[in-house]
Amino acid sequence: MAVDLLLGLQWGDEGKGKIVDVLTKDYDIIARFQGGPNAGHTLEFDGIKHVLHTIPSGIFHENAMNIVGNGVVIDPVIFKKELDNLKKFNIDIKSKLLISRKAHLILPTHRLLDAASEAAKGKAKIGSTLKGIGPTYMDKTGRNGMRIGDLELDDWKEKYRALANKHEAMIGFYDVDIQYDLKDLESEFFAAVKELKSLTFIDSEEYLFKAQKEGKKILAEGAQGSLLDIDFGTYPFVTSSNTTAAGACTGLGVAPNKIGDVKGIFKAYTTRVGSGPFPTELFDEDGETMGRVGNEFGATTGRPRRCGWLDLVALKYAVQINGVTELMMMKGDVLSGFKKLKICTAYNYKGDVIKHLPYNIEPENVTPIYTEMEGWKKDLTQLTKPEELPPALNAYIDFLEKELEVPIKIVSVGPDRTQTIHR
Ligand code: IMP
C-alpha cells in the first residue's frame, strides 16, 4: 500500500492541520515526518480550536494511529503541554500515539543557542521561532544529538550533561547577553522527560513497513512549507529540515517507490512569518485586509504574518519539486470582497522576464509581474457544494489548475472541519 503525503507548498501556515484532520477518516495512520514545535497545526471542530505542535493532527480520530517519525525533533517540555491540553478529550495517548526512537530531542540549551545565534545575527536574523530547531538539527547532522531511544538507556543523564555543558560553552562564544537559569529550565525538562517516558517508543520505520505490507493506509504529515525547505527554500531564511516530499522518505523510512498521492496545500494568497524575501508582499490596504480577515497571526509565536498576492512562480516550483498530484486551496473565503485579484505569473529578474524561481529572489533582483482577475463578493463561509462557488472564484481556480497542471480537489472556506468543499 502506498504512503500518501500532505505538504505545505508556500512558507508554512497553509492549513495542514485542518486538512489532515479532514482526511484522517480515510487513513489508518497519520505520521509526522519533520520539523518540531516550530509548527502550529490548527484544527477546529465542535466550536473548539486546537493547536498542535508536535503531535500529528489525526489525534482526535478514533480510527487512526499517530506516529511522530524519526525526522521530527521533540521538545519534551512543549510536548508535555500538548499532552496536558489533550487530557480533557480522554484520548488513550499511550496506545494512539507512538514515538520513533530515532527522533531527536530538543534540550533547553538548544533553545538558548537558538536565541544566542539570532541575537548575534542582529538585522540579518532568520526570524526563528526560537524553539531550538536549528541547533537540534545541527547536533543531529553533527552526530552529537540525543535521541528518544537514548532515554531508555541508564546513562542518558550523563549524555545529557555532556551535551548541555558543550552548549553552555558555545553560548559563551556568542558575544550576546542571554539571561537564563539553567537549573530552572532543567527541572522543567526532567519532569517533562519523565512524562514522555511513559509514552510508547517504537522503531517507527519497521512499524510503518509492516503497516504498508498489511495494506494500512498511511498519510505522512509535513510541517512548514516548501519555501522553508533547507535545500530548496529561500536559504538562509528557512527552517532546518527537508519540508519537501523527499523529507517524508528520510523522516519516516518510507522508500521513494512507496509514495502514492502527493497532496499539496496552498493559500489562495501568500503569507510569510519571519524574515526573508517575499516578492508579492503587500504593504498596502489589501495586505492589511488579508491579515485582518484571514486572522494571520503565527499559531506558535503570535507574530503577525506578512501577506501578499498568490505567487504562481513560487507555487509552480513547489509543485515541481514535490511531484504534487492534487492540490488543496485554503482560505478562498478571505479573498471575498476584493474587487480585483492579482496573481504573480512571472518575475522581472534583472531586466528579463522569467517564469521559474531563480537562485536569488531578493527585491533588488525580482519584481513580480501580475495577471489581474475579477474578484467576487459572495460570502463563502457557509457554502458546502462546488456548484455554489461564485463564477469569479471558479475562474480563479480554473486559471490556477491550467497553469499548475494539477487538479484542485479541495477548496477550504473557513477554519472549521465542516467548511470544506470537495471537488
Ligand atoms: P525555525 O524553524 O523556528 O528556526 O524558523 C525558521 C524560519 O521558518 C522562520 O522564518 C520561521 O518564522 C519559519 N517557520 C518555522 N516554522 C514555521 C511554521 O510552522 N509556519 C510558518 N513559518 C515557520
Side-chain angles (χ1 to χ4, degrees), residues 120-360:
K121 281 191 156 103
K123 269 192 180 156
K125 70 176 183 181
I126 307 296
S128 164
T129 61
L130 302 179
K131 302 295 177 195
I133 306 296
T136 306
Y137 280 113
M138 276 166 67
D139 269 340
K140 175 178 176 173
T141 51
R143 296 157 297 176
N144 298 309
M146 272 192 77
R147 301 190 287 179
I148 287 288
D150 290 332
L151 299 177
E152 294 174 321
L153 306 176
D154 291 338
D155 68 345
W156 76 267
K157 278 201 176 163
E158 286 161 40
K159 263 192 145 175
Y160 166 82
R161 186 77 278 138
L163 191 54
N165 286 349
K166 192 176 101 175
H167 289 162
E168 278 214 284
M170 287 164 74
I171 292 165
F173 280 116
Y174 288 101
D175 190 18
V176 292
D177 184 24
I178 300 283
Q179 301 289 329
Y180 61 92
D181 180 342
L182 192 55
K183 279 227 150 40
D184 268 6
L185 294 172
E186 284 184 343
S187 62
E188 186 185 38
F189 179 75
F190 291 135
V193 166
K194 199 168 166 204
E195 180 144 351
L196 188 61
K197 284 177 77 174
S198 72
L199 301 185
T200 312
F201 300 163
I202 60 163
D203 296 330
S204 54
E205 62 284 6
E206 180 63 17
Y207 181 96
L208 289 169
F209 180 72
K210 280 194 182 138
Q212 286 171 72
K213 276 203 122 177
E214 287 162 12
K216 297 246 164 75
K217 289 201 74 186
I218 303 168
L219 180 67
E221 175 181 9
Q224 291 83 46
S226 298
L227 301 173
L228 289 172
D229 182 276
I230 184 73
D231 283 283
F232 296 105
T234 46
Y235 193 89
F237 302 102
V238 292
T239 192
S240 299
S241 60
N242 280 115
T243 58
T244 43
C249 296
T250 55
L252 292 173
V254 172
N257 62 348
K258 295 292 187 299
I259 300 295
D261 298 340
V262 181
K263 300 167 191 288
I265 299 203
F266 69 100
K267 272 182 199 168
Y269 49 99
T270 311
T271 63
R272 170 161 211 177
V273 64
S275 331
F278 177 0
T280 61
E281 183 169 11
L282 291 167
F283 300 95
D284 60 6
E285 212 177 292
D286 286 339
E288 191 274 324
T289 305
M290 288 172 192
R292 181 171 35 80
V293 179
N295 193 25
E296 296 294 356
F297 294 93
T300 296
T301 58
R303 291 179 292 179
R305 297 179 184 137
R306 300 152 66 190
C307 297
W309 297 117
L310 187 64
D311 184 341
L312 211 50
V313 178
L315 194 54
K316 234 181 211 172
Y317 170 80
V319 165
Q320 236 167 271
I321 51 175
N322 291 306
V324 172
T325 57
E326 55 186 76
L327 288 161
M328 280 132 202
M329 189 175 93
M330 312 301 287
K331 289 196 153 180
D333 53 298
V334 174
L335 294 185
S336 292
F338 280 88
K339 263 207 169 91
K340 297 270 181 202
L341 300 170
K342 288 183 182 178
I343 300 175
C344 167
T345 47
Y347 292 153
N348 187 324
Y349 179 70
K350 300 180 180 174
D352 289 331
V353 175
I354 61 165
K355 287 196 147 200
H356 71 274
L357 205 77
Y359 179 72
N360 182 329

